[in-house]
Amino acid sequence: SYGEQMSTRMAVHILRLHEVRAALVQSGDLLVTDTPLQANDEEKYLNANVFPRSDREGAEATIQEKTLVPNLDVVVTQGFIARNAKGETCLLGRGGSDTSGSLIAALVAAHHLEIWTDVYGMFTGDPRIMPHVRLLQKISWREAQELATSGAKVLHPRCIGPAAMFNVPIEIRNTMDPASQHTLITVDDFQRIAPDGSEGNGLGPRSPWQSPYPSPRQSP
């Protein structure tokens, strides 16, 4: 985790040099793994799992406690890293950085999640092989999950679920062309498991896995 630790500290200092009020919060203060402590070391420390949850008030309290900087413009944290119940550093395995973003977006009930990468989003085929593919400007989370599982490398399949579970749309954007067209992954049709085991659209009684807040897209 040393690379992530160093780069986030550098990012905070660079932002402050540009008069941006920024502070660092360790991702382990926000993400705690649920991998059993009796699991083997590889699963505990190199391929740990964090179950998605939403606790905006708790996250804000943690950020205020850890930063001690009033009126922050930007909070910087790491991807790929979490902590276990003993406070030890763990890695989330392949795709862990994007998955961290999805987990944190769910945690803070974000309006949307942006994934910045070197492509414009998801396409109808591999643009490196097929010259006439089209950019998918809008796609459901189910379709995106299927494409990711089938080999689309722009997102790891684990990244989509946490955001979708808590009504956070995902945008895939090109770092080198920020104003360009992009892919929007919608989450309106996400099916939650109700306490009686049936599936619902989230409009009825809230299930234990559903965000305690309304959809952030309906907020002011």
Side-chain angles (χ1 to χ4, degrees):
S1 66
Y2 291 121
E4 294 274 358
Q5 297 283 359
M6 288 189 295
S7 61
T8 49
R9 284 169 170 76
M10 291 173 59
V12 169
H13 286 293
I14 292 170
L15 288 168
R16 289 176 177 173
L17 286 174
H18 289 273
E19 300 182 349
V20 177
R21 292 188 296 272
L24 175 65
V25 174
Q26 296 295 324
S27 58
D29 293 327
L30 300 172
L31 302 179
V32 178
T33 72
D34 59 1
T35 303
L37 293 177
Q38 62 268 28
N40 63 61
D41 285 351
E42 182 176 353
E43 290 298 313
K44 282 193 298 185
Y45 299 115
L46 300 180
N47 193 31
N49 182 69
V50 176
F51 190 80
R53 63 190 182 94
S54 187
D55 182 8
R56 180 169 54 193
E57 294 178 353
E60 289 176 352
T62 298
I63 291 168
Q64 291 176 2
E65 176 189 352
K66 299 297 182 181
T67 59
L68 302 177
V69 179
N71 303 316
L72 281 172
D73 295 319
V74 175
V75 175
V76 178
T77 191
Q78 301 90 10
F80 198 61
I81 305 171
R83 287 181 184 163
N84 62 20
K86 295 171 63 177
E88 299 170 317
T89 297
C90 306
L91 305 182
L92 300 186
R94 187 175 175 218
S97 292
D98 290 348
T99 303
S100 296
S102 185
L103 287 164
I104 292 172
L107 181 67
V108 302
H111 179 274
H112 66 281
L113 167 65
E114 295 179 5
I115 301 292
W116 290 86
T117 182
D118 58 351
V119 296
Y120 291 95
M122 288 187 159
F123 290 82
T124 55
D126 189 338
R128 297 170 299 180
I129 302 173
M130 305 167 64
H132 302 298
V133 296
R134 293 183 297 108
L135 174 68
L136 297 168
Q137 296 187 39
K138 190 173 183 179
I139 185 173
S140 74
W141 74 272
R142 290 181 184 275
E143 294 167 320
Q145 186 87 45
E146 185 67 26
L147 286 174
T149 303
S150 300
K153 299 185 182 301
V154 63
L155 282 182
H156 192 276
R158 287 198 304 164
C159 167
I160 301 169
M165 184 180 291
F166 291 98
N167 294 330
V168 181
I170 303 172
E171 295 180 3
I172 306 173
R173 292 180 173 269
N174 192 327
T175 307
M176 304 302 173
D177 193 2
S180 65
Q181 294 180 335
H182 59 277
T183 293
L184 169 65
I185 301 174
T186 63
V187 294
D188 302 283
D189 63 341
F190 187 82
Q191 299 291 306
R192 293 175 181 78
I193 306 300
D196 62 0
S198 62
E199 288 191 349
N201 61 5
L203 301 179
R206 192 167 63 239
S207 81
W209 293 359
Q210 190 175 339
S211 170
Y213 306 103
S215 169
R217 289 172 288 113
Q218 299 171 1
S219 303

